[in-house]
Amino acid sequence: METIAAESEETQLRNRKKGKSSQDGAKIAEETKPDLAGKVDERLQPSDSGEPEKLKLVRKWSEGVKLDGDSDQSPFTISIQLDGASVFLFLASFLTRFYRLTYPNGVVFDEIHYGRFASLYLRNTFFFDQHPPLGKMLIAGAASAVGYSGKFEFPKIGSEYDASVPVFAFRFIPALCGSLLAPVIYSILRQIKLSQKICIIGGLLVVFDNALLTHSRFILMEPMLLLFSSVGILFVFKHLNSVPFSLRWWLSGATAAAFLTAAVCVKYIGFYSYLLACYIIGRHVWMQLPDRSQSNAYLLAKSVSKAVLFVAVSVGVYVGCFYVHLGILHKAGPHDSVMTSAFQASLEGGLASITKGQPLRIQHGSQITLKHTHGRVCWLHSHAHVYPIKYKDGRGSSHQQQVTCYGFKDVNNWWIVKRPTKENIVVDEEPDYIENGDIIQLVHGVSSRALNSHDVASAMTPLAQEVSCYIDYNISMPANLLWKVEIINAKDSKNKWNAITSQVRLIHVETNAALKFTGEQLPDWGFNQFEVAADRRQFTLDTVWNVEEHRYTQDKDKKDVLEKLLKTEMIPLEPTQLSFWDKFSELQLKMLLNSEKMEGHMYSSEPFEWPLMDKGIAYWVDSASNAQIHLLGNLVIWYSATFAIVIYVAFLVFYLIRRRRKFYDIEESEWQKFRFGGEVFLAGYFIHFLPYLFVERTLFLYHYLPALLYKILLLCFVLEHIQLVISKTNRSKLVLVIFNAMLAAWISGVVYFCSKYSVLTYGTTELNSDDVLKLRLKDTWDLIVHKP
């Protein structure tokens, strides 16, 4: 196996034979610049003698073409190579990940969520999660394969699994993905032509990192996310190393797009890896542009083909994942209230069964409940209490009856639709259907007061106007009770206002403001319910409502009407049938809008604490001893990798300054390699890390794991480059021996730390309080001590 040192000596010998030096390369670079007239040196034009050596090297590195000249000879050739190093890394990972995989026999940290989701899959019961479903479906599939019925409820962290739970099957997929990650990292390093020794070290760093090891042993999403995104990046490199438009080129590109999208389908943060792939491909295209041997049409065809291939495969994988997801979950469940009434009504045993037989069309005299369609689940609500005369900030209110948005079904959620021209509130013998654009009043069913708005600032949103139920105080504040019905999807119902399916905006006639859920929570005087206001900015999602429950008022006596409001459970004409695309689009919108912030957690951490691992996460603790599982990375790896970022940037600045002064310390091919690997891995690290600095939500150490992978890759790249620099010194052999000795000592430190802290990775060792305190290297590590 050739080393970088050998390659550089061979390159130097070839250059000497040609009578060129690195300074000559600088001269060529200077001569190839356009002159003041905009002319380009002829040596950059295609010619019979071929392109200059420097441009050839730049083009080869930018395209990812193998420097040894290998290429696809036949698009139908299939070769299988068994790499002993990959097999070794897989076996090492497999043994560490699968060792006592069923221990502990209890719920560990986020297994409470993902295990519960998997059980709901097996019961075909709909649930809502902010992340896409692929990872949860894979875990559910593994559990289903061994006959699990989905009856275990995953009540709380630490709960013992009963005999019906196949713990090994539940944890199998994450452990397998964690086992495959090390050989994939090895292969990525091989793709950018690092020496096999350094590539193996890269794989071993993945094997012996405690955080990656811990996370691979439980029902968690990160192992699948890391594997799919890494395989996607690996095949991006393979795609760029393939002959354009060959079968290998198409297949590697499709595989890259499929795995990168699969990472997004596990967790949306997989999109960062997709961005990195776009950067790598964009860089590849950009670096090809100076190559005049390729025509404009050819470059355009390649770029468009790549874009079409990646988009088509990505859309297919993403939509297909949700198609399976929605096909499985066809029964009503605990989270279906998050969805619109139409979505709920399409599920078995949900709103469709409750509202069966309910009238479909809204008309004068209809009794309805109005549900906020998008975002938080709540219903338009009123009660006998009034707004306070003055708020804390000194502003005055109308002192009218409160109107809020309440998150539970309640008798005070009922309203009666009334034509302004009619005195009664009962359904006539001749139907008087409400259509798009009609003017109505809404009368609160219990209090008989009508929905009102006026030019008074709302309690929590002063830029919007107050909504109330009108009370005549005889103080020259007139009633403004008219509302116009605007049906957003009027074409679907031929302009008729229907229960469940019609999405409406209620526009206040006097002020042209739309009835709006503001999202602000009222103080104690409003019973901590949510504010409803009227906003002149009509076209927002928070102004959309739909009728969920519906019945007709047929009793003229008010007392009888009230009795039916309080006692009768009214509710749709027929179950709603929604197409896949309707469900898919609604679910995407809900996943986007329902990203609520989780309250602070004692084991949460900030991004600036991650690079030096200032805080871990307690996953599980034995009730009978201090044996515990705690998420901590390998301190030797994390600190070394963080330091490698500094070293790479220092090298880069040094070379840039030297090259600016026309000193070329390394060969052109080595410089292009240094730029390519560093730019990709450093970009990968920052793409996966920097966004968290701007996230306003509770974060944990495991959010750093994708960035950690690229930090490890960059560390290996820096080690390779240091080895190259050493080979150029006068006493390279002696220095290389010292470097290898230091490298061996460092790897020993990695293995030692992993072994020492394996007690917190596996949780199988009973610890006393002194043992736990000895493991606490930092004061910020919140290891658990609850037994002496």
Side-chain angles (χ1 to χ4, degrees), residues 211-237:
L212 295 174
L213 173 56
T214 301
H215 239 260
S216 298
R217 291 175 45 79
F218 304 109
I219 313 172
L220 302 171
M221 297 295 104
E222 275 66 29
M224 289 171 277
L225 169 69
L226 296 176
L227 178 68
F228 294 159
S229 60
S230 298
V231 172
I233 296 299
L234 172 63
F235 275 92
V236 167
F237 287 136

Side-chain angles (χ1 to χ4, degrees), residues 491-765:
K491 290 183 179 180
D492 298 338
S493 60
K494 298 180 180 179
N495 285 330
K496 297 292 190 297
W497 187 8
N498 291 340
I500 304 296
T501 57
S502 292
Q503 297 183 5
V504 302
R505 285 191 177 96
L506 296 174
I507 309 300
H508 190 240
V509 173
E510 295 292 329
T511 60
N512 203 35
L515 188 71
K516 178 182 180 180
F517 163 80
T518 68
E520 298 293 333
Q521 197 165 10
L522 298 172
D524 291 341
W525 56 257
F527 305 95
N528 301 116
Q529 296 173 15
F530 287 91
E531 180 188 46
V532 170
D535 196 335
R536 288 182 171 83
R537 295 171 297 178
Q538 300 176 6
F539 302 105
T540 67
L541 291 176
D542 287 325
T543 61
V544 181
W545 304 79
N546 68 271
V547 172
E548 183 171 273
E549 302 179 54
H550 176 213
R551 59 195 180 204
Y552 289 152
T553 306
Q554 296 178 332
D555 299 273
K556 296 183 178 180
D557 184 81
K558 180 183 174 182
K559 184 177 180 181
D560 292 337
V561 173
L562 181 57
E563 286 181 0
K564 286 198 172 183
L565 279 170
L566 293 171
K567 296 179 180 179
T568 309
E569 189 179 42
M570 307 290 293
I571 336 275
L573 186 62
E574 57 186 12
T576 304
Q577 299 297 324
L578 287 185
S579 69
F580 162 73
W581 293 109
D582 289 334
K583 289 186 174 182
F584 174 76
S585 57
E586 179 180 332
L587 187 56
Q588 300 306 301
L589 185 61
K590 291 291 184 180
M591 293 168 73
L592 176 66
L593 296 178
N594 279 271
S595 56
E596 299 178 8
K597 290 196 300 182
M598 187 175 64
E599 296 298 327
H601 192 284
M602 65 179 298
Y603 289 105
S604 64
S605 53
E606 297 298 327
F608 61 83
E609 297 178 293
W610 297 342
L612 299 180
M613 203 174 61
D614 288 337
K615 198 169 185 180
I617 309 173
Y619 274 14
W620 174 86
V621 63
D622 187 6
S623 59
S625 71
N626 291 318
Q628 58 190 280
I629 296 172
H630 203 94
L631 183 69
L632 287 173
N634 190 310
L635 208 63
V636 179
I637 297 174
W638 288 47
Y639 275 61
S640 301
T642 300
F643 188 51
I645 296 175
V646 178
I647 295 176
Y648 176 80
V649 173
F651 267 122
L652 181 62
V653 172
F654 173 78
Y655 287 141
L656 289 174
I657 293 175
R658 292 275 292 174
R659 293 176 74 85
R660 188 67 177 171
R661 297 287 297 164
K662 310 302 181 185
F663 293 104
Y664 299 90
D665 302 283
I666 56 178
E667 301 293 331
E668 186 62 31
S669 61
E670 295 163 354
W671 167 244
Q672 295 300 329
K673 180 178 178 180
F674 179 80
R675 284 183 54 197
F676 175 78
E679 285 178 13
V680 168
F681 297 149
L682 196 62
Y685 175 75
F686 286 124
I687 287 173
H688 287 83
F689 175 65
L690 292 181
Y692 289 109
L693 298 175
F694 308 97
V695 172
E696 295 182 0
R697 54 163 292 191
T698 302
L699 298 172
F700 296 92
L701 183 63
Y702 60 74
H703 288 114
Y704 188 63
L705 296 182
L708 173 66
L709 280 188
Y710 290 96
K711 195 163 71 166
I712 289 175
L713 290 168
L714 185 64
L715 169 61
C716 296
F717 193 81
V718 168
L719 291 175
E720 176 86 358
H721 192 72
I722 292 174
Q723 185 174 268
L724 171 65
V725 172
I726 291 174
S727 69
K728 293 180 176 293
T729 61
N730 293 332
R731 298 182 180 181
S732 60
K733 291 184 179 180
L734 176 61
V735 179
L736 197 59
V737 169
I738 297 173
F739 172 77
N740 287 331
M742 295 174 62
L743 194 61
W746 174 72
I747 294 173
S748 299
V750 169
V751 176
Y752 171 76
F753 189 96
C754 180
S755 175
K756 180 178 179 180
Y757 281 82
S758 63
V759 294
L760 300 179
T761 299
Y762 295 103
T764 56
T765 304

Side-chain angles (χ1 to χ4, degrees), residues 288-289 291-304:
Q288 278 189 317
L289 294 181
D291 184 8
R292 299 294 296 276
S293 66
Q294 302 183 60
S295 67
N296 294 341
Y298 180 72
L299 289 173
L300 180 63
K302 281 200 301 183
S303 300
V304 172

